[in-house]
Amino acid sequence: MSVKELAAAAGISGNTLLSYIDARGYLPNVETAVKIAKTLGVSVEYLVTGKRTVATDKETDDFIQTFVHLTKHDKKLLEKIADSMKEIEED
């Protein structure tokens, strides 16, 4: 995702986003940080620290990124499939 695409998806200007990620060192307000984090499918903590609270591998990260961009309907379907798989494992 380009800076321009991320900025548009988060509802902020490209110049504003650049001011957060370049050497100027500006920090977004909480509301903007939440928008950026949601758009990227990460936590605000991850934006600030670069560290995940739960260790994940690349395969998990890729899955999460895919899941974040699914429609609400498709997310529900996938959740039902996962629930069914958990039930099978528990039997």
Side-chain angles (χ1 to χ4, degrees):
M1 178 179 292
S2 71
V3 170
K4 184 177 179 179
E5 291 169 332
L6 175 57
I12 60 176
S13 77
N15 286 335
T16 297
L17 181 59
L18 282 173
S19 74
Y20 303 143
I21 59 178
D22 70 9
R24 289 178 266 181
Y26 293 115
L27 295 175
N29 63 35
V30 173
E31 181 181 329
T32 303
V34 169
K35 286 179 184 179
I36 294 168
K38 283 185 177 181
T39 302
L40 292 172
V42 299
S43 69
V44 174
E45 179 180 2
Y46 179 78
L47 285 180
V48 174
T49 66
K51 297 178 183 174
R52 296 190 184 276
T53 54
V54 176
T56 61
D57 57 22
K58 181 167 177 4
E59 187 175 316
T60 301
D61 288 342
D62 291 347
F63 178 82
I64 291 168
Q65 287 301 315
T66 300
F67 183 83
V68 166
H69 292 93
L70 293 175
T71 66
K72 192 173 187 176
H73 177 262
D74 288 346
K75 286 178 183 177
K76 289 289 184 196
L77 289 174
L78 192 53
E79 287 171 2
K80 287 180 182 179
I81 291 168
D83 287 342
S84 296
M85 291 173 76
K86 282 192 320 191
E87 289 174 11
I88 291 169
E89 282 184 17
E90 292 171 358
D91 289 342

